[in-house]
Amino acid sequence: MTRADAIARARENLHSGEFLAELDRRVAYRTESQNPERGDALRAYLEEELQPAFSQLDFSTDWSNPRPARVPYLVAEYRESPSAPTVLMYGHGDVVDGNDGTMAG
């Protein structure tokens, strides 16, 4: 794929509505990491949304957490070859509680 192909693909994703549909789906998860009652939603977001998305891009994922009692987060790694730079990504929940009913819509 050329740079021009990648740009055209990104534009199509944006203009087709696919990007906004994906964003809407992802922000609908109640992932307030400071709220212990949201642990299931946070794990679902990481497992159902982020892990498959990283997998499609050939990233390997890991649930290692140095503080296992804390909320989960996902680390994704892409390693093209030993001589190429490694790309690291991560997924986590919101860092503050949401404010239901305070957003104008």
Side-chain angles (χ1 to χ4, degrees):
M1 176 182 286
T2 67
R3 181 177 187 273
D5 292 336
I7 291 170
R9 187 173 173 191
R11 281 192 176 127
E12 174 58 27
N13 183 270
L14 181 63
H15 294 300
S16 71
E18 186 178 340
F19 172 76
L20 285 179
E22 184 175 320
L23 184 62
D24 284 345
R25 188 180 66 246
R26 289 182 177 178
V27 299
Y29 283 89
R30 306 288 302 260
T31 63
E32 299 157 339
S33 62
Q34 293 182 2
N35 183 342
E37 295 175 13
R38 299 285 186 221
D40 290 342
L42 177 53
R43 182 163 291 279
Y45 169 68
L46 297 173
E47 288 179 350
E48 297 169 8
E49 287 292 331
L50 294 189
Q51 195 167 26
F54 286 132
S55 181
Q56 282 185 320
L57 297 170
D58 292 328
F59 280 72
S60 61
T61 55
D62 183 8
W63 291 93
S64 296
N65 187 338
R67 299 183 310 176
R70 304 285 295 178
V71 295
Y73 66 88
L74 181 69
V75 175
E77 176 184 40
Y78 181 77
R79 190 174 298 256
E80 198 167 291
S81 77
S83 62
T86 298
V87 177
L88 293 174
M89 302 290 287
Y90 75 99
H92 63 87
D94 300 322
V95 295
V96 295
D97 290 346
N99 294 316
D100 290 340
T102 60
M103 299 293 291

